[in-house]
Amino acid sequence: MYNRLRLKVSIEAIKWLTFQACALSGHDEGPDLSNQGNFLELIKLLASYNKTIDDVVLENAPQNEKYTLPDIQKEILCVLATYVRKAIREEIGTTKFCLIVNESQDESKKEQMAIVVRFVDRDGHVKERFLDLIQVKDKTSSTLKNEIMCSLSYHKLSVQDIRGQGYDGASNMRGEWNGLQALLLKECPYAYYINCFAHQLQLALVGASKDVTEVHNCFKTLNFIVNVITSSSKRRDQLQDAQIAEISHLIEVDEIESGKGKNQIRTLQRPGDTRWRSHFKSICSLMRLFGPSCVVLTNIATKGFYIFSKR
């Protein structure tokens, strides 16, 4: 009975944190800390409002039956993920579906492939469901195809039911002969490939802007300034010092207000070809940091610093 209650509290805490997209573990969960992370602090909160729970969790639980270790948390998450995938599979049923796939590196530089299915449910509504996240050893089309086939087989989805493929424009994805879309077309001739409209629009905007000399020169200069200032840790420190000096002066002359969360130290944003919005953010960042950026560039010009880092 007590074990069941302890486990139930851990499950409910994990479900709530996962639904709210909150991290479970803290940086340090030592017993002497005032903040041990979201998971343990939530259990403490539940215990503070319910004496029955308080009597059986954390310090009041046996040493080997707390159900709070990271391994237990991961196991509970895996069980919850299995139930979510099962619900998605039941929602798809026997209908046809489309695949939306993207691969990218995570923070640890490991290649991961996300698989999303798009289908029409029994009520005639178009649904998109995140089905799987798979770590892949490389980004070759054959590797991606094999992993997709394994995932579909695991979820008891037939490749013959695929009616569309949506990827970006990378050669390993859209290649006419050996790309992922071509390999899947050999398995199912009805799996028509459509390039990602978001990427198409972004690349079209970037391409169109390059045909306008003034716009092209503007972003070329912008990218050059960002590269010069952010390519060196020394210059980034100079940018930060210049910001601090500017903010201190503006506060002193009562042009800006001070307070918690205000006047944060920022950095320049680099524009990217696949995200047109990043160009706008890059311009805004330079406008906000125009004064400090001028200080850094002046130092480079007058004190003889190298524009580019030494190779």
Side-chain angles (χ1 to χ4, degrees), residues 48-72:
S48 67
Y49 284 93
N50 191 310
K51 189 177 186 305
T52 304
I53 294 176
D54 187 36
D55 290 341
V56 298
V57 299
L58 300 177
E59 291 80 7
N60 296 326
Q63 188 65 29
N64 61 342
E65 295 178 0
K66 293 180 181 292
Y67 299 112
T68 58
L69 290 177
D71 289 342
I72 299 296

PDB file of all heavy atoms in Angstrom, residues 48-72:
ATOM      1  N   SER A  48       3.415  18.561   1.621  1.00  0.00           N
ATOM      2  CA  SER A  48       3.080  19.615   2.586  1.00  0.00           C
ATOM      3  C   SER A  48       1.572  19.832   2.712  1.00  0.00           C
ATOM      4  O   SER A  48       1.106  20.381   3.713  1.00  0.00           O
ATOM      5  CB  SER A  48       3.758  20.930   2.184  1.00  0.00           C
ATOM      6  OG  SER A  48       3.214  21.431   0.973  1.00  0.00           O
ATOM      7  N   TYR A  49       0.805  19.402   1.702  1.00  0.00           N
ATOM      8  CA  TYR A  49      -0.639  19.579   1.732  1.00  0.00           C
ATOM      9  C   TYR A  49      -1.384  18.286   2.039  1.00  0.00           C
ATOM     10  O   TYR A  49      -2.614  18.284   2.090  1.00  0.00           O
ATOM     11  CB  TYR A  49      -1.136  20.134   0.393  1.00  0.00           C
ATOM     12  CG  TYR A  49      -0.867  21.613   0.204  1.00  0.00           C
ATOM     13  CD1 TYR A  49       0.284  22.047  -0.429  1.00  0.00           C
ATOM     14  CD2 TYR A  49      -1.755  22.567   0.695  1.00  0.00           C
ATOM     15  CE1 TYR A  49       0.550  23.397  -0.589  1.00  0.00           C
ATOM     16  CE2 TYR A  49      -1.504  23.913   0.540  1.00  0.00           C
ATOM     17  CZ  TYR A  49      -0.359  24.335  -0.103  1.00  0.00           C
ATOM     18  OH  TYR A  49      -0.109  25.674  -0.253  1.00  0.00           O
ATOM     19  N   ASN A  50      -0.663  17.192   2.209  1.00  0.00           N
ATOM     20  CA  ASN A  50      -1.316  15.911   2.459  1.00  0.00           C
ATOM     21  C   ASN A  50      -0.458  15.094   3.422  1.00  0.00           C
ATOM     22  O   ASN A  50       0.623  14.636   3.060  1.00  0.00           O
ATOM     23  CB  ASN A  50      -1.518  15.159   1.150  1.00  0.00           C
ATOM     24  CG  ASN A  50      -2.416  13.952   1.307  1.00  0.00           C
ATOM     25  OD1 ASN A  50      -2.219  13.131   2.196  1.00  0.00           O
ATOM     26  ND2 ASN A  50      -3.402  13.837   0.434  1.00  0.00           N
ATOM     27  N   LYS A  51      -0.940  14.918   4.648  1.00  0.00           N
ATOM     28  CA  LYS A  51      -0.152  14.212   5.663  1.00  0.00           C
ATOM     29  C   LYS A  51       0.042  12.745   5.305  1.00  0.00           C
ATOM     30  O   LYS A  51       1.082  12.154   5.610  1.00  0.00           O
ATOM     31  CB  LYS A  51      -0.831  14.323   7.033  1.00  0.00           C
ATOM     32  CG  LYS A  51       0.041  13.806   8.171  1.00  0.00           C
ATOM     33  CD  LYS A  51      -0.633  14.006   9.500  1.00  0.00           C
ATOM     34  CE  LYS A  51       0.320  13.611  10.630  1.00  0.00           C
ATOM     35  NZ  LYS A  51       0.850  12.245  10.492  1.00  0.00           N
ATOM     36  N   THR A  52      -0.941  12.155   4.639  1.00  0.00           N
ATOM     37  CA  THR A  52      -0.810  10.752   4.234  1.00  0.00           C
ATOM     38  C   THR A  52       0.362  10.570   3.292  1.00  0.00           C
ATOM     39  O   THR A  52       1.138   9.608   3.410  1.00  0.00           O
ATOM     40  CB  THR A  52      -2.100  10.269   3.559  1.00  0.00           C
ATOM     41  OG1 THR A  52      -3.204  10.483   4.448  1.00  0.00           O
ATOM     42  CG2 THR A  52      -2.003   8.789   3.212  1.00  0.00           C
ATOM     43  N   ILE A  53       0.523  11.502   2.354  1.00  0.00           N
ATOM     44  CA  ILE A  53       1.664  11.455   1.438  1.00  0.00           C
ATOM     45  C   ILE A  53       2.955  11.767   2.179  1.00  0.00           C
ATOM     46  O   ILE A  53       3.978  11.111   1.989  1.00  0.00           O
ATOM     47  CB  ILE A  53       1.448  12.446   0.277  1.00  0.00           C
ATOM     48  CG1 ILE A  53       0.271  12.007  -0.585  1.00  0.00           C
ATOM     49  CG2 ILE A  53       2.713  12.571  -0.577  1.00  0.00           C
ATOM     50  CD1 ILE A  53      -0.074  12.973  -1.710  1.00  0.00           C
ATOM     51  N   ASP A  54       2.901  12.771   3.046  1.00  0.00           N
ATOM     52  CA  ASP A  54       4.105  13.185   3.783  1.00  0.00           C
ATOM     53  C   ASP A  54       4.673  12.052   4.621  1.00  0.00           C
ATOM     54  O   ASP A  54       5.894  11.948   4.811  1.00  0.00           O
ATOM     55  CB  ASP A  54       3.760  14.381   4.673  1.00  0.00           C
ATOM     56  CG  ASP A  54       4.989  14.971   5.339  1.00  0.00           C
ATOM     57  OD1 ASP A  54       6.069  14.992   4.690  1.00  0.00           O
ATOM     58  OD2 ASP A  54       4.894  15.388   6.509  1.00  0.00           O
ATOM     59  N   ASP A  55       3.820  11.167   5.106  1.00  0.00           N
ATOM     60  CA  ASP A  55       4.271  10.078   5.985  1.00  0.00           C
ATOM     61  C   ASP A  55       5.014   8.976   5.243  1.00  0.00           C
ATOM     62  O   ASP A  55       5.663   8.137   5.890  1.00  0.00           O
ATOM     63  CB  ASP A  55       3.060   9.467   6.716  1.00  0.00           C
ATOM     64  CG  ASP A  55       2.491  10.414   7.756  1.00  0.00           C
ATOM     65  OD1 ASP A  55       3.208  11.349   8.169  1.00  0.00           O
ATOM     66  OD2 ASP A  55       1.312  10.240   8.130  1.00  0.00           O
ATOM     67  N   VAL A  56       4.932   8.959   3.887  1.00  0.00           N
ATOM     68  CA  VAL A  56       5.511   7.819   3.171  1.00  0.00           C
ATOM     69  C   VAL A  56       6.543   8.200   2.118  1.00  0.00           C
ATOM     70  O   VAL A  56       7.152   7.310   1.518  1.00  0.00           O
ATOM     71  CB  VAL A  56       4.393   6.992   2.488  1.00  0.00           C
ATOM     72  CG1 VAL A  56       3.434   6.431   3.531  1.00  0.00           C
ATOM     73  CG2 VAL A  56       3.637   7.814   1.456  1.00  0.00           C
ATOM     74  N   VAL A  57       6.761   9.498   1.851  1.00  0.00           N
ATOM     75  CA  VAL A  57       7.675   9.886   0.780  1.00  0.00           C
ATOM     76  C   VAL A  57       8.962  10.495   1.333  1.00  0.00           C
ATOM     77  O   VAL A  57       9.047  10.875   2.511  1.00  0.00           O
ATOM     78  CB  VAL A  57       7.006  10.887  -0.192  1.00  0.00           C
ATOM     79  CG1 VAL A  57       5.797  10.279  -0.860  1.00  0.00           C
ATOM     80  CG2 VAL A  57       6.628  12.173   0.535  1.00  0.00           C
ATOM     81  N   LEU A  58       9.976  10.544   0.455  1.00  0.00           N
ATOM     82  CA  LEU A  58      11.264  11.189   0.720  1.00  0.00           C
ATOM     83  C   LEU A  58      11.902  10.661   1.998  1.00  0.00           C
ATOM     84  O   LEU A  58      12.152   9.472   2.118  1.00  0.00           O
ATOM     85  CB  LEU A  58      11.086  12.711   0.742  1.00  0.00           C
ATOM     86  CG  LEU A  58      10.545  13.326  -0.579  1.00  0.00           C
ATOM     87  CD1 LEU A  58      10.328  14.815  -0.435  1.00  0.00           C
ATOM     88  CD2 LEU A  58      11.459  12.996  -1.721  1.00  0.00           C
ATOM     89  N   GLU A  59      12.154  11.529   2.973  1.00  0.00           N
ATOM     90  CA  GLU A  59      12.862  11.094   4.181  1.00  0.00           C
ATOM     91  C   GLU A  59      12.099  10.049   4.980  1.00  0.00           C
ATOM     92  O   GLU A  59      12.701   9.272   5.742  1.00  0.00           O
ATOM     93  CB  GLU A  59      13.151  12.297   5.094  1.00  0.00           C
ATOM     94  CG  GLU A  59      14.170  13.286   4.561  1.00  0.00           C
ATOM     95  CD  GLU A  59      13.550  14.232   3.549  1.00  0.00           C
ATOM     96  OE1 GLU A  59      12.307  14.177   3.384  1.00  0.00           O
ATOM     97  OE2 GLU A  59      14.301  15.007   2.925  1.00  0.00           O
ATOM     98  N   ASN A  60      10.792  10.005   4.834  1.00  0.00           N
ATOM     99  CA  ASN A  60       9.986   9.037   5.575  1.00  0.00           C
ATOM    100  C   ASN A  60       9.836   7.709   4.841  1.00  0.00           C
ATOM    101  O   ASN A  60       9.122   6.824   5.323  1.00  0.00           O
ATOM    102  CB  ASN A  60       8.597   9.627   5.849  1.00  0.00           C
ATOM    103  CG  ASN A  60       8.658  10.844   6.748  1.00  0.00           C
ATOM    104  OD1 ASN A  60       9.511  10.924   7.644  1.00  0.00           O
ATOM    105  ND2 ASN A  60       7.773  11.811   6.517  1.00  0.00           N
ATOM    106  N   ALA A  61      10.470   7.574   3.694  1.00  0.00           N
ATOM    107  CA  ALA A  61      10.417   6.319   2.930  1.00  0.00           C
ATOM    108  C   ALA A  61      11.669   5.504   3.200  1.00  0.00           C
ATOM    109  O   ALA A  61      12.730   6.046   3.526  1.00  0.00           O
ATOM    110  CB  ALA A  61      10.307   6.619   1.434  1.00  0.00           C
ATOM    111  N   PRO A  62      11.597   4.166   3.081  1.00  0.00           N
ATOM    112  CA  PRO A  62      12.801   3.339   3.207  1.00  0.00           C
ATOM    113  C   PRO A  62      13.849   3.750   2.174  1.00  0.00           C
ATOM    114  O   PRO A  62      13.518   4.238   1.096  1.00  0.00           O
ATOM    115  CB  PRO A  62      12.278   1.917   2.935  1.00  0.00           C
ATOM    116  CG  PRO A  62      10.818   1.987   3.244  1.00  0.00           C
ATOM    117  CD  PRO A  62      10.379   3.367   2.883  1.00  0.00           C
ATOM    118  N   GLN A  63      15.097   3.562   2.509  1.00  0.00           N
ATOM    119  CA  GLN A  63      16.193   4.044   1.679  1.00  0.00           C
ATOM    120  C   GLN A  63      16.128   3.501   0.244  1.00  0.00           C
ATOM    121  O   GLN A  63      16.455   4.199  -0.708  1.00  0.00           O
ATOM    122  CB  GLN A  63      17.536   3.663   2.312  1.00  0.00           C
ATOM    123  CG  GLN A  63      18.756   4.272   1.634  1.00  0.00           C
ATOM    124  CD  GLN A  63      18.795   5.791   1.757  1.00  0.00           C
ATOM    125  OE1 GLN A  63      18.286   6.347   2.725  1.00  0.00           O
ATOM    126  NE2 GLN A  63      19.372   6.458   0.770  1.00  0.00           N
ATOM    127  N   ASN A  64      15.710   2.257   0.090  1.00  0.00           N
ATOM    128  CA  ASN A  64      15.687   1.630  -1.243  1.00  0.00           C
ATOM    129  C   ASN A  64      14.301   1.605  -1.872  1.00  0.00           C
ATOM    130  O   ASN A  64      14.062   0.896  -2.841  1.00  0.00           O
ATOM    131  CB  ASN A  64      16.232   0.200  -1.152  1.00  0.00           C
ATOM    132  CG  ASN A  64      15.406  -0.677  -0.227  1.00  0.00           C
ATOM    133  OD1 ASN A  64      14.648  -0.159   0.590  1.00  0.00           O
ATOM    134  ND2 ASN A  64      15.543  -1.982  -0.362  1.00  0.00           N
ATOM    135  N   GLU A  65      13.361   2.389  -1.348  1.00  0.00           N
ATOM    136  CA  GLU A  65      12.002   2.396  -1.882  1.00  0.00           C
ATOM    137  C   GLU A  65      11.447   3.815  -2.001  1.00  0.00           C
ATOM    138  O   GLU A  65      10.261   4.055  -1.828  1.00  0.00           O
ATOM    139  CB  GLU A  65      11.075   1.556  -0.997  1.00  0.00           C
ATOM    140  CG  GLU A  65      11.432   0.077  -0.970  1.00  0.00           C
ATOM    141  CD  GLU A  65      10.532  -0.718  -0.055  1.00  0.00           C
ATOM    142  OE1 GLU A  65       9.637  -0.106   0.560  1.00  0.00           O
ATOM    143  OE2 GLU A  65      10.710  -1.941   0.053  1.00  0.00           O
ATOM    144  N   LYS A  66      12.316   4.767  -2.335  1.00  0.00           N
ATOM    145  CA  LYS A  66      11.868   6.159  -2.447  1.00  0.00           C
ATOM    146  C   LYS A  66      11.202   6.447  -3.792  1.00  0.00           C
ATOM    147  O   LYS A  66      10.393   7.359  -3.920  1.00  0.00           O
ATOM    148  CB  LYS A  66      13.062   7.113  -2.260  1.00  0.00           C
ATOM    149  CG  LYS A  66      13.648   7.109  -0.854  1.00  0.00           C
ATOM    150  CD  LYS A  66      14.806   8.071  -0.766  1.00  0.00           C
ATOM    151  CE  LYS A  66      15.427   8.060   0.632  1.00  0.00           C
ATOM    152  NZ  LYS A  66      14.521   8.625   1.626  1.00  0.00           N
ATOM    153  N   TYR A  67      11.591   5.717  -4.845  1.00  0.00           N
ATOM    154  CA  TYR A  67      11.064   5.913  -6.198  1.00  0.00           C
ATOM    155  C   TYR A  67      11.332   7.333  -6.719  1.00  0.00           C
ATOM    156  O   TYR A  67      10.489   7.940  -7.378  1.00  0.00           O
ATOM    157  CB  TYR A  67       9.565   5.615  -6.260  1.00  0.00           C
ATOM    158  CG  TYR A  67       9.214   4.203  -5.906  1.00  0.00           C
ATOM    159  CD1 TYR A  67       8.510   3.921  -4.737  1.00  0.00           C
ATOM    160  CD2 TYR A  67       9.601   3.140  -6.726  1.00  0.00           C
ATOM    161  CE1 TYR A  67       8.203   2.614  -4.397  1.00  0.00           C
ATOM    162  CE2 TYR A  67       9.286   1.836  -6.393  1.00  0.00           C
ATOM    163  CZ  TYR A  67       8.595   1.573  -5.221  1.00  0.00           C
ATOM    164  OH  TYR A  67       8.280   0.279  -4.891  1.00  0.00           O
ATOM    165  N   THR A  68      12.508   7.860  -6.402  1.00  0.00           N
ATOM    166  CA  THR A  68      12.857   9.213  -6.851  1.00  0.00           C
ATOM    167  C   THR A  68      14.184   9.262  -7.607  1.00  0.00           C
ATOM    168  O   THR A  68      14.562  10.335  -8.081  1.00  0.00           O
ATOM    169  CB  THR A  68      12.946  10.176  -5.651  1.00  0.00           C
ATOM    170  OG1 THR A  68      13.918   9.681  -4.707  1.00  0.00           O
ATOM    171  CG2 THR A  68      11.600  10.319  -4.961  1.00  0.00           C
ATOM    172  N   LEU A  69      14.890   8.159  -7.735  1.00  0.00           N
ATOM    173  CA  LEU A  69      16.186   8.165  -8.413  1.00  0.00           C
ATOM    174  C   LEU A  69      16.015   8.485  -9.902  1.00  0.00           C
ATOM    175  O   LEU A  69      14.958   8.213 -10.487  1.00  0.00           O
ATOM    176  CB  LEU A  69      16.870   6.812  -8.255  1.00  0.00           C
ATOM    177  CG  LEU A  69      17.379   6.456  -6.845  1.00  0.00           C
ATOM    178  CD1 LEU A  69      17.959   5.045  -6.849  1.00  0.00           C
ATOM    179  CD2 LEU A  69      18.420   7.456  -6.376  1.00  0.00           C
ATOM    180  N   PRO A  70      17.034   9.051 -10.545  1.00  0.00           N
ATOM    181  CA  PRO A  70      16.946   9.359 -11.988  1.00  0.00           C
ATOM    182  C   PRO A  70      16.581   8.156 -12.842  1.00  0.00           C
ATOM    183  O   PRO A  70      15.832   8.295 -13.815  1.00  0.00           O
ATOM    184  CB  PRO A  70      18.355   9.873 -12.311  1.00  0.00           C
ATOM    185  CG  PRO A  70      18.855  10.449 -11.026  1.00  0.00           C
ATOM    186  CD  PRO A  70      18.289   9.569  -9.958  1.00  0.00           C
ATOM    187  N   ASP A  71      17.091   6.962 -12.487  1.00  0.00           N
ATOM    188  CA  ASP A  71      16.750   5.765 -13.264  1.00  0.00           C
ATOM    189  C   ASP A  71      15.264   5.458 -13.174  1.00  0.00           C
ATOM    190  O   ASP A  71      14.642   5.029 -14.165  1.00  0.00           O
ATOM    191  CB  ASP A  71      17.563   4.570 -12.776  1.00  0.00           C
ATOM    192  CG  ASP A  71      19.036   4.672 -13.150  1.00  0.00           C
ATOM    193  OD1 ASP A  71      19.347   5.465 -14.061  1.00  0.00           O
ATOM    194  OD2 ASP A  71      19.859   3.974 -12.537  1.00  0.00           O
ATOM    195  N   ILE A  72      14.670   5.658 -12.001  1.00  0.00           N
ATOM    196  CA  ILE A  72      13.231   5.443 -11.834  1.00  0.00           C
ATOM    197  C   ILE A  72      12.451   6.470 -12.648  1.00  0.00           C
ATOM    198  O   ILE A  72      11.454   6.138 -13.306  1.00  0.00           O
ATOM    199  CB  ILE A  72      12.840   5.524 -10.348  1.00  0.00           C
ATOM    200  CG1 ILE A  72      13.553   4.440  -9.535  1.00  0.00           C
ATOM    201  CG2 ILE A  72      11.328   5.402 -10.185  1.00  0.00           C
ATOM    202  CD1 ILE A  72      13.176   3.037  -9.922  1.00  0.00           C
TER     203      ILE A  72
END
